[in-house]
Amino acid sequence: MTGLRWGILATGGIAGSFASDLRTAGIDLVAVGSRSQESADAFAARFDIAHAHPSYEALVTDPDVDIIYVSTPHPMHHENARLALENGKHVLVEKAFTLNRAEAEDLQRLGAERGLLVMEAMWTRYLPHMIRIREIIAAGTLGEIRAVTADHTQLLPSDPAHRLNALELGGGALLDLGIYPISFIWDILGAPTSIHSVGRLIETGADAEVATVMTHEGGAVSTSLSSSRAAGSNAATVIGTEARIEIDRVWYSPTTFRAVGPDGTVHEEYSSEIEGRGMQFQALAAERLVRDGILEGDILPIAESVAIMGTLDEIRAQIGVRYPSEGADRG
């Protein structure tokens, strides 16, 4: 442990999940910042946090805070993370990392200039079952990886005013849900060499369904499906020439998987046994990086988070989604 002192910026649902898992892991959570004192006080009381700040500015200038978890809606990630970096704080920024690649590049550049850790909170990558899957692949058990498929489909509120459907808040299936399978595909197969996307937009202009077919180095293929209007299997498969890995529902949370040979022989079965939701593992990884003086993570380097935002930009361009803050020319 580095003894890093954590602050949480914003007090929504994901912030509560993160705070709970920090407490489970015994990580030092010392401050929270909200847009109102009332909200900050309530959150602080709920999680026994010493400092409750009535503004984000007060949080980022708190001398007792070393690293800040940014959990605001997507369009605010860039501004809020920048504020923290400018005040000398490391940042863990909720996924999707930003609205677009241009914003992500700016945070990457600022973090490097200030000598601070900038990390995307793609918590799935740090879960024990994902660590084990990468070990199996690295050992060559699957042979040559030829295909990856994953979906993230949920039945979410259809109210046009809801954040998930509001284009000005970065609403839509892609940034909230699609980021999971897209990041997973990147993790296993690397950057796509071609991207083909289709989507269905709702009355607000936000995407309710998005499907992708991508090719990767060596000719491997991937498919992803995200939907905010229907719940699917939420499973994933990595297919190799010698074996495959079948990840059960819900693949992006602590779950079970099997490594299965072409004849159906099960080579390994894995079952996750952890405390909490599992968001503490990304925080522990961030602490390790800071302790070791490393600004580029090994599990998810900031350069990869930036490149993934570029992939999401291309998918949005193909399905016709532009966020209001981007203006006529997307960054």
Side-chain angles (χ1 to χ4, degrees):
M1 297 291 289
T2 64
L4 287 184
R5 298 164 299 178
W6 286 79
I8 294 181
L9 191 150
T11 57
I14 195 72
S17 296
F18 184 70
S20 178
D21 280 350
L22 290 190
R23 286 293 183 232
T24 294
I27 295 171
D28 196 9
L29 173 57
V30 302
V32 61
S34 180
R35 290 174 295 181
S36 75
Q37 188 68 64
E38 181 181 10
S39 177
D41 286 342
F43 194 91
R46 180 180 169 194
F47 295 105
D48 191 24
I49 299 171
H51 304 296
H53 297 292
S55 71
Y56 301 154
E57 289 78 11
L59 172 66
V60 301
T61 55
D62 186 334
D64 291 333
V65 173
D66 303 308
I67 184 168
I68 289 177
Y69 169 64
V70 175
S71 64
T72 44
H74 310 306
M76 293 77 168
H77 288 180
H78 174 248
E79 175 186 353
N80 298 152
R82 200 170 219 292
L83 181 67
L85 291 167
E86 288 172 341
N87 284 276
K89 311 301 187 187
H90 303 287
V91 292
L92 175 65
V93 185
E94 187 52 47
K95 45 84 195 101
F97 185 53
T98 52
L99 270 187
N100 52 47
R101 179 167 183 149
E103 291 183 351
E105 288 175 335
D106 182 62
L107 294 182
Q108 178 188 27
R109 181 169 52 250
L110 182 58
E113 289 174 357
R114 300 298 176 95
L116 296 166
L117 177 70
V118 181
M119 181 171 148
E120 181 183 7
M122 177 43 71
W123 62 290
T124 293
R125 288 216 187 183
Y126 301 89
L127 293 172
H129 77 286
M130 287 296 178
I131 302 296
R132 180 57 190 149
I133 286 170
R134 285 192 290 271
E135 291 173 347
I136 291 171
I137 292 172
T141 303
L142 303 190
E144 182 183 0
I145 306 300
R146 300 309 307 154
V148 175
T149 181
D151 79 298
H152 189 178
T153 50
Q154 297 189 36
L155 182 59
L156 299 176
S158 59
D159 180 1
H162 193 281
R163 179 192 69 79
L164 292 166
N165 303 309
L167 207 58
E168 66 275 13
L169 294 177
L174 185 63
L175 290 197
D176 266 280
L177 308 178
I179 178 62
Y180 284 86
I182 297 298
S183 184
F184 177 62
I185 289 165
W186 260 85
D187 191 15
I188 303 301
L189 294 177
T193 54
S194 70
I195 303 171
H196 303 279
S197 312
V198 294
R200 183 179 71 86
L201 308 186
I202 57 174
E203 63 272 19
T204 64
D207 48 290
E209 278 90 28
V210 181
T212 67
V213 177
M214 301 189 289
T215 58
H216 303 262
E217 185 178 354
V221 298
S222 66
T223 63
S224 77
L225 172 65
S226 55
S227 174
S228 59
R229 295 298 174 90
S233 63
N234 289 305
T237 307
V238 180
I239 303 171
T241 54
E242 301 298 324
R244 67 185 181 272
I245 290 176
E246 301 171 344
I247 314 175
D248 296 322
R249 175 182 180 88
V250 173
W251 70 266
Y252 48 84
S253 297
T255 188
T256 55
F257 73 78
R258 291 162 303 285
V260 183
D263 62 354
T265 300
V266 176
H267 298 302
E268 178 176 334
E269 291 188 80
Y270 183 98
S271 181
S272 295
E273 295 181 5
I274 70 167
E275 290 187 78
R277 189 183 187 210
M279 299 185 76
Q280 67 269 33
F281 296 105
Q282 62 185 345
L284 292 168
E287 296 215 348
R288 173 178 57 83
L289 292 170
V290 173
R291 179 197 66 205
D292 295 342
I294 300 172
L295 301 183
E296 276 283 344
D298 47 356
I299 291 177
L300 180 55
I302 183 59
E304 187 169 329
S305 290
V306 169
I308 289 171
M309 289 312 307
T311 296
L312 298 183
D313 285 353
E314 176 58 26
I315 292 169
R316 287 197 294 118
Q318 291 185 14
I319 65 174
V321 172
R322 177 181 287 111
Y323 303 118
S325 62
E326 293 177 311
D329 297 318
R330 178 179 295 123

